[in-house]
Amino acid sequence: MTVGIVSTGIYIPQTKMTSKEIADRSTIPEDIIRQKMGIHEKPIPGEHDHTVQMGVWAAQEAIRKANIEPKDIDVVIYMGEEHKEYPLWTASIKMQEELGAVNAWAFDVQLRCGTTIMALKLAKSLMASDDSIQTILLAGGYRNVDFIDYSNPRIRFMYNLAAGGGAILLQKNYDKNHLLEAAIMTDGSFSEDVVVPVGGTKKPLTSFDLENNLYQLDVIDPIGMKERLEQKSLSNFLKVIRTSLAKSGLSEENIGYLAMLHMKRSAHDYILAELGLGQGQSIYLENYGHIGQIDQILSLQLALEEGRIHDGDIITLVSAGIGYVWGAMTIRWG
């Protein structure tokens, strides 16, 4: 059995925040925002750019490009963020309805910015275990930029958070673009380092919290997290990439294109150099920022549009998410 990518879809809001605006709000010099953080501009949500709705728009593009009927989709997996139109809400079932996927069943998954890699691995396993599943849609949106307080220096590494939607349509025994193997690793020592500290059962939301801007992302132990993460993060990126390739019977010399999440420019360049890849073998998302788990789909679609990917190329998608999780999925394109 093989599982292939039939199409992808992306939705990017028209509203943008520039590096100058980030600099003005944070008091960090604009050249540091642009050069070190690697943000020239990023999409932020407009009035109607709600999380699940952006996933619906991306899914509609993927379905249109695949030239299939929504009724032919067997499973809809929502792999967007928990921050969405309503709390305590199953987003995938809403997407199923909006898309007209009347014969599908649906569920949500979540692994922060590592969700796309996990959802691809899960979808492949579902297809292998159930003969009735032929077509799966993965789709979701992201707008955790809503939780960024640019006056908080503890969260500078998240100033790149943006907004958008993405989708991937998969089919069993599709004749090209085959998913190979994934590698995922999690490290619970970071599990409570980055949180929205109010609004849950530990500390229910109050008017005081809202008035004092506490309903925002924050880092509980910024010095300790930085020290621990610096020891592990880049090595874990390389580890999941190499493990995904090895499980697929390949090595880093086989990579044709690396679809990476947005990170600071020096980290992006370091990973490329360690893998022996050139700048043309990845796209730095300086005009998009970090759209969470949508980054890998965006990078893949941009590379296809720019002609950077050719039949027979080996592509590896790589992600990381707070918690902390690192993941990679290798694909044989064409």
Side-chain angles (χ1 to χ4, degrees):
M1 184 208 76
T2 59
V3 174
I5 296 176
V6 182
S7 62
T8 61
I10 286 291
Y11 172 80
I12 300 295
Q14 294 299 307
T15 310
K16 301 293 192 297
M17 177 182 281
T18 66
S19 56
K20 184 179 186 308
E21 291 175 279
I22 297 172
D24 290 344
R25 293 193 189 190
S26 65
T27 70
I28 296 173
E30 186 181 0
D31 65 322
I32 291 178
I33 301 291
R34 293 178 67 88
Q35 302 302 324
K36 186 173 182 180
M37 295 185 177
I39 312 166
H40 290 184
E41 66 176 17
K42 63 178 187 177
I44 58 174
E47 180 183 358
H48 303 292
D49 294 325
H50 300 292
T51 309
V52 176
Q53 185 60 59
M54 290 190 288
V56 169
W57 288 327
Q60 288 171 337
E61 178 183 289
I63 292 168
R64 183 171 60 251
K65 286 162 63 176
N67 195 28
I68 69 164
E69 294 294 328
K71 66 181 181 181
D72 294 331
I73 298 170
D74 299 303
V75 180
V76 175
I77 302 177
Y78 174 77
M79 49 73 175
E81 262 300 336
E82 290 180 294
H83 171 56
K84 51 189 185 290
E85 284 85 332
Y86 313 102
L88 304 177
W89 185 50
T90 306
S92 58
I93 298 176
K94 173 63 173 175
M95 294 187 73
Q96 173 195 359
E97 172 68 13
E98 288 293 310
L99 296 169
V102 295
N103 296 317
W105 57 278
F107 64 98
D108 297 5
V109 295
Q110 185 49 247
L111 195 59
R112 297 280 72 80
C113 300
T115 310
T116 293
I117 303 300
M118 180 267 283
L120 287 167
K121 179 177 175 64
L122 177 60
K124 185 179 178 184
S125 298
L126 278 174
M127 288 180 168
S129 65
D130 189 333
D131 291 339
S132 70
I133 298 175
Q134 299 294 320
T135 303
I136 295 181
L137 173 70
L138 314 179
Y142 183 95
R143 53 175 289 173
N144 285 5
V145 61
D146 294 344
F147 290 99
I148 296 301
D149 175 2
Y150 296 93
S151 67
N152 181 356
R154 293 185 297 276
I155 62 163
R156 285 180 179 178
F157 69 99
M158 291 187 283
Y159 286 175
N160 63 347
L161 296 197
I168 300 179
L169 194 64
L170 304 171
Q171 283 187 349
K172 184 186 294 182
N173 296 325
Y174 190 60
D175 61 0
K176 55 187 176 181
N177 311 333
H178 292 154
L179 300 185
L180 300 180
E181 298 299 327
I184 298 173
M185 58 188 299
T186 57
D187 186 337
S189 67
F190 298 95
S191 65
E192 292 183 299
D193 278 329
V194 183
V195 297
V196 177
V198 300
T201 59
K202 279 191 171 184
K203 194 178 186 309
L205 191 62
T206 66
S207 58
F208 175 86
D209 297 330
L210 293 173
E211 290 165 5
N212 289 274
N213 210 28
L214 300 180
Y215 191 58
Q216 301 282 330
L217 279 163
D218 206 351
V219 180
I220 307 305
D221 176 21
I223 296 174
M225 178 184 169
K226 185 175 188 293
E227 290 175 349
R228 285 178 281 117
L229 198 57
E230 283 179 346
Q231 296 171 9
K232 297 182 177 182
S233 188
L234 291 178
S235 62
N236 284 349
F237 270 114
L238 293 167
K239 183 174 182 179
V240 293
I241 292 168
R242 287 166 173 155
T243 301
S244 171
L245 288 162
K247 290 170 68 176
S248 304
L250 300 163
S251 67
E252 57 205 78
E253 288 79 14
N254 300 117
I255 298 176
Y257 183 81
L258 186 66
M260 274 196 277
L261 73 163
H262 183 272
M263 60 183 82
K264 64 182 182 180
R265 170 69 80 171
S266 60
H268 177 96
D269 291 347
Y270 174 82
I271 291 172
L272 290 182
E274 286 294 301
L275 296 171
L277 300 176
Q279 292 292 329
Q281 291 176 280
S282 189
I283 293 175
Y284 190 64
L285 301 174
E286 59 196 6
N287 294 316
Y288 298 91
H290 179 39
I291 314 178
Q293 51 268 56
I294 309 304
D295 281 8
Q296 292 77 41
I297 309 172
L298 173 61
S299 182
L300 175 61
Q301 183 160 311
L302 289 173
L304 289 167
E305 292 170 356
E306 294 178 15
R308 299 194 190 204
I309 295 173
H310 307 283
D311 280 355
D313 280 353
I314 297 300
I315 302 163
T316 298
L317 317 183
V318 62
S319 67
I322 56 176
Y324 236 85
V325 55
W326 294 264
M329 168 67 79
T330 297
I331 302 162
R332 187 182 301 277
W333 201 258

